Amino acid sequence: QVQLVESGGGSVQAGGSLRLSCAASKYNVSNKYITWFRQAPEKEREGVAVVHTGRGNTYYIDSVKGRFTISQDLAKNTVYLQMNSLKPEDTAMYYCAADLWGDDWSTWNNYNFWGQGTQVTVSS
């Protein structure tokens, strides 16, 4: 069965950096939309960044532009989210999602596959 495994979360102080990884098994991330979502307590899950691994197109929500970078290593079948200049409001569980079937990348239930998530906590 398809597995997406996130890793790289942790606790950092504001201004710090983390790199999240999303490693896929039994699913080829090549030429696909892969998206990072996050969900803070009592908040809706929101799409943070998306990449089309074939065309290289990326998109970020305004609150992370200039701080987060989504990238891929197709040889490792892995997508990354480099997060710099972290803020307390970035605190959330971060998930990767794959196999987009709808038109809107930012809608969480438009994906067939999800990882279990990795927690990111940013202290002030």
Side-chain angles (χ1 to χ4, degrees), residues 27-69:
Y27 182 83
N28 189 344
V29 302
S30 178
N31 209 33
K32 302 288 197 311
Y33 286 103
I34 306 295
T35 300
W36 284 98
F37 284 80
R38 66 185 179 188
Q39 188 166 20
E42 299 182 1
K43 290 193 175 180
E44 298 265 329
R45 192 172 296 195
E46 67 171 349
V48 173
V50 60
V51 61
H52 188 279
T53 58
R55 295 190 289 269
N57 299 45
T58 58
Y59 186 80
Y60 304 87
I61 57 173
D62 286 346
S63 60
V64 307
K65 280 180 183 175
R67 300 189 297 122
F68 289 12
T69 303

Side-chain angles (χ1 to χ4, degrees), residues 17-118:
S17 298
L18 287 171
R19 188 177 80 154
L20 306 184
S21 300
C22 171
S25 61
K26 298 189 179 180
Y27 182 83
N28 189 344
V29 302
S30 178
N31 209 33
K32 302 288 197 311
Y33 286 103
I34 306 295
T35 300
W36 284 98
F37 284 80
R38 66 185 179 188
Q39 188 166 20
E42 299 182 1
K43 290 193 175 180
E44 298 265 329
R45 192 172 296 195
E46 67 171 349
V48 173
V50 60
V51 61
H52 188 279
T53 58
R55 295 190 289 269
N57 299 45
T58 58
Y59 186 80
Y60 304 87
I61 57 173
D62 286 346
S63 60
V64 307
K65 280 180 183 175
R67 300 189 297 122
F68 289 12
T69 303
I70 190 169
S71 63
Q72 71 264 24
D73 184 336
L74 299 183
K76 295 182 178 180
N77 211 32
T78 298
V79 173
Y80 303 97
L81 186 67
Q82 177 68 44
M83 306 187 296
N84 298 328
S85 302
L86 282 161
K87 303 176 180 180
E89 51 264 42
D90 295 318
T91 295
M93 185 71 80
Y94 283 71
Y95 302 89
C96 64
D99 205 33
L100 175 68
W101 58 266
D103 292 332
D104 183 1
W105 69 269
S106 66
T107 299
W108 70 270
N109 59 3
N110 278 357
Y111 294 83
N112 286 319
F113 303 123
W114 285 90
Q116 297 282 66
T118 186

